[in-house]
């Protein structure tokens, strides 16, 4: 028997041995896939309950809803609330100012989104582990402080009778208290600064994780070529973090209209209300303070639809420019 015949016979025997096991292997793989699917079912249920099931509430935008009467006893008005949004000059002007506030604060947030990236890079360059961990802990802790407590800190420091005004008055620098909180000047900037203070350390965590995944041989090669610390940061760390930054940037653009409500709710007052009201706070004020849940639902519905459109638009741009999509 020739060597070629022996090889052919061995290959045929191997195929015969493996063939009966293929359906079993396929069945075992399907079982593993099904078990893995069962692991994510609880999370899918939570997503459905908290993200999709509440969309049923959009039906309230078609009624003149009165809580005492319930939905069945309220009058069906169709698209009346949507027509009121664009048909009343007063309402249009008010909503226009709210949209301007929302976009201004969102764009300021996007413009300062580079700060967590820079903070993570410089934090990673700290050589003493105890000092680096201390700085990271101290800058991350504010994220876990509620906005109510943040406002208490702001009030104790910057109110008319607060610590800052007291120091300035004792030093003879001012004769009347400076109104840091009770003013409509620079509201967008102050809100952005408070957001940076609260979220800087938390936002840097994802970049620190990305830095930990950078191939260390790149830094070793750069050292051999004589690169300094800042050169390695600029030519290695920054380019390696750009994909992560761009994904987060695109998500921020898709969420232009979603500023949240808590921060602006606790900081709002009669002096800054015109410039601090973002869409989420405006919806709350109309629905709860103004007792017009139907109008609030209509505005919230439009905001959600526009956000979805922004998401798919940004996703399309990312796919064209980078060849990758985020959805």
């Amino acid at each position: 028997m020739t060597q070629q015949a022996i090889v052919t016979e061995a290959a045929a025997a191997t195929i015969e041995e493996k063939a009966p096991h293929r359906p079993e292997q396929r069945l075992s793989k399907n079982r593993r896939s099904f078990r893995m699917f069962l692991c994510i079912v609880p999370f899918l249920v939570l997503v459905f309950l908290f993200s999709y099931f509440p969309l049923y509430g959009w039906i309230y935008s078609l009624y003149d809803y009165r809580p005492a009467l319930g939905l069945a006893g309220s009058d069906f008005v169709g698209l009346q609330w949507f027509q009121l949004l664009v048909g009343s000059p007063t309402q249009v002007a008010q909503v226009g100012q709210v949209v301007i506030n929302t976009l201004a604060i969102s764009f300021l947030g996007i413009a300062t989104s580079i700060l967590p990236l820079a903070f993570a890079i410089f934090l990673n360059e700290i050589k003493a582990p105890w000092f680096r961990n201390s700085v990271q802990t101290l800058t991350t802790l504010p994220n876990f402080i509620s906005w109510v407590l943040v406002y208490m800190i702001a009030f104790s420091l910057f109110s008319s009778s607060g610590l800052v005004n007291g120091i300035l008055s004792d030093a003879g620098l001012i004769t009347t208290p400076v109104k840091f909180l009770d003013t409509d000047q620079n509201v967008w900037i102050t809100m952005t600064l408070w957001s940076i203070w609260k979220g800087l350390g938390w936002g840097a965590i994802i970049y620190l994780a990305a830095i930990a995944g950078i191939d260390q041989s790149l830094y070793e090669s750069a050292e051999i070529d004589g690169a300094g610390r800042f050169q390695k940061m600029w030519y290695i760390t920054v380019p390696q973090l750009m994909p992560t930054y761009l994904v987060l940037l695109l998500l921020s653009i898709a969420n232009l209209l979603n500023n949240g409500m808590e921060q602006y709710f606790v900081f709002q007052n009669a002096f800054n209300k015109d410039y601090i009201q973002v869409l989420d706070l405006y919806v709350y004020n109309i629905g709860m303070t103004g007792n017009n849940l139907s109008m609030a639902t209509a505005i919230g519905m439009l905001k959600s639809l526009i956000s979805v459109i922004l998401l798919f638009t940004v996703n399309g741009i990312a796919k064209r420019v980078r060849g990758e999509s985020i959805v």
Side-chain angles (χ1 to χ4, degrees), residues 115-117 119-121 123 136 199-209:
L115 295 179
L117 171 66
F119 179 72
I121 293 174
L123 186 62
Q136 185 177 358
L200 181 64
W202 182 257
I205 289 178
I206 190 170
Y207 295 113
L208 290 171

Side-chain angles (χ1 to χ4, degrees), residues 127-150:
K127 299 304 181 182
W130 66 270
F131 185 65
R132 181 176 62 249
N133 294 337
S134 299
V135 173
Q136 185 177 358
T137 301
L138 291 175
T139 53
T140 305
L141 280 177
N143 179 74
F144 301 98
I145 302 175
S146 70
W147 280 110
V148 176
L149 294 179
V150 172

